[in-house]
Amino acid sequence: MTIPKLKAIILDDEALNIDALDRMIMAYCPGVIVVARCQNPLEAIGLVHDLRPDILFLDIAMPELNGFEFLNKFETLNFKTIFTTAYTEYAIKAIKYAAFDFLLKPIDKEELILAINRAQANVLLPSSTEINQHKGTRTNLALPTNEGFSFIDIGEIVFCQSDNSYTIYKLIDGKKIVVSRGLKETSEMLEKHDFFRIHQSYLINGKYIRKYNKSNSSVVMSNGEELPISLRRKDEFLMFIDKM
């Protein structure tokens, strides 16, 4: 069976950046065809509507409309957004705009290939539990770490633990990711996705609760870890699990 190629549009106000990315895609990503290249974000709105790409490679710092303002022009994002930028400080905001991936310029060949492989798996072999990509409803998170960025799905998170100004993400496969972001910001981002902050130090994913211990006011998560529930959050927690 022939696997269909993914359609991609490149939007960047710098022609040299477009040329460089286009060449890399042609050389290393045979499963992708670039159907349009554009330097003007206003013109690109029509191209996206008409060509319906699977992937949009989107620069952030552009005149007239920046990358975030560009995405705000769409009611629904029916494409995977891969941000391309030279500025790491945009990564956190990219999370809020359903970033599928985030590539720093100059774009690394291996990182591009990984992003494309993930997009192909996501588009061609979607999970039965996949949530459509909408503004404000994200399944993918770009997590800033000391090494760069880790991209995970929200559904992989069992719980998050505070570590001063850092947050430790505990994942369903047993991995840990230390993120340079406090638990308060993490809570604001995840609580709309059935996460609940049970304690000053813990934010849990409700779907991975396996047991509630009334005697010592704690929860046991799917990975076997037992976490305390603070006294002031207990009543809210009981309301939270009652709605699940």
Side-chain angles (χ1 to χ4, degrees):
M1 181 180 69
T2 302
I3 299 176
K5 290 191 175 185
L6 300 187
K7 297 187 296 182
I9 290 178
I10 302 174
L11 173 56
D12 193 306
D13 64 312
E14 296 286 343
L16 290 177
N17 290 335
I18 293 177
D19 289 340
L21 180 54
D22 199 359
R23 285 195 301 270
M24 291 180 72
I25 291 171
M26 286 191 291
Y28 306 115
C29 305
V32 176
I33 180 170
V34 176
V35 295
R37 303 157 34 125
C38 192
Q39 290 180 249
N40 187 319
L42 295 176
E43 293 177 5
I45 294 171
L47 289 173
V48 170
H49 282 301
D50 293 341
L51 298 176
R52 298 187 179 187
D54 300 297
I55 302 172
L56 174 66
F57 290 97
L58 180 61
D59 187 24
I60 296 179
M62 298 182 292
E64 297 187 88
L65 290 176
N66 65 38
F68 305 120
E69 292 168 336
F70 177 83
L71 292 180
N72 282 336
K73 298 295 182 180
F74 298 88
E75 288 295 324
T76 301
L77 305 180
N78 295 315
F79 47 83
K80 304 301 179 188
T81 306
I82 299 180
F83 284 109
T84 60
T85 180
Y87 304 100
T88 58
E89 60 265 29
Y90 286 127
I92 303 301
K93 191 172 182 179
I95 296 170
K96 300 177 181 179
Y97 282 80
F100 183 78
D101 221 321
F102 187 96
L103 300 176
L104 284 174
K105 300 174 184 176
I107 294 172
D108 178 79
K109 176 185 74 173
E110 299 301 327
E111 291 185 0
L112 173 64
I113 293 171
L114 285 173
I116 293 299
N117 287 344
R118 288 183 64 242
Q120 287 176 314
N122 198 282
V123 172
L124 301 177
L125 298 170
S127 165
S128 60
T129 59
E130 181 184 356
I131 301 172
N132 289 332
Q133 187 184 26
H134 295 278
K135 290 179 292 184
T137 305
R138 309 177 301 281
T139 55
N140 293 290
L141 296 179
L143 302 178
T145 67
N146 289 335
E147 293 77 32
F149 298 93
S150 291
F151 286 83
I152 64 169
D153 189 275
I154 288 173
E156 298 177 53
I157 305 167
V158 178
F159 70 89
C160 301
Q161 179 177 354
S162 175
D163 184 11
N164 296 317
S165 59
Y166 292 85
T167 298
I168 302 170
Y169 282 64
K170 299 286 188 76
L171 306 185
I172 192 65
D173 61 3
K175 293 180 181 177
K176 295 192 300 184
I177 300 176
V178 180
V179 176
S180 50
R181 178 192 299 130
L183 192 60
K184 181 178 183 295
E185 185 178 351
T186 300
S187 297
E188 292 172 352
M189 182 175 62
L190 292 177
E191 284 182 340
K192 67 180 71 174
H193 298 284
D194 294 327
F195 282 71
F196 185 83
R197 190 163 182 178
I198 60 170
H199 188 277
Q200 175 178 315
S201 299
Y202 297 103
L203 174 74
I204 63 171
N205 187 340
K207 74 177 184 179
Y208 291 123
I209 298 172
R210 292 296 174 263
K211 184 179 179 182
Y212 164 57
N213 291 324
K214 183 178 179 181
S215 60
N216 64 353
S217 191
S218 67
V219 289
V220 178
M221 305 302 292
S222 62
N223 63 357
E225 294 197 51
E226 186 171 2
L227 309 176
I229 303 170
S230 70
L231 182 61
R232 68 183 185 86
R233 301 308 308 270
K234 182 178 178 180
D235 289 343
E236 289 181 65
F237 170 73
L238 293 175
M239 292 173 61
F240 170 75
I241 59 175
D242 188 53
K243 293 176 182 178
M244 295 191 65

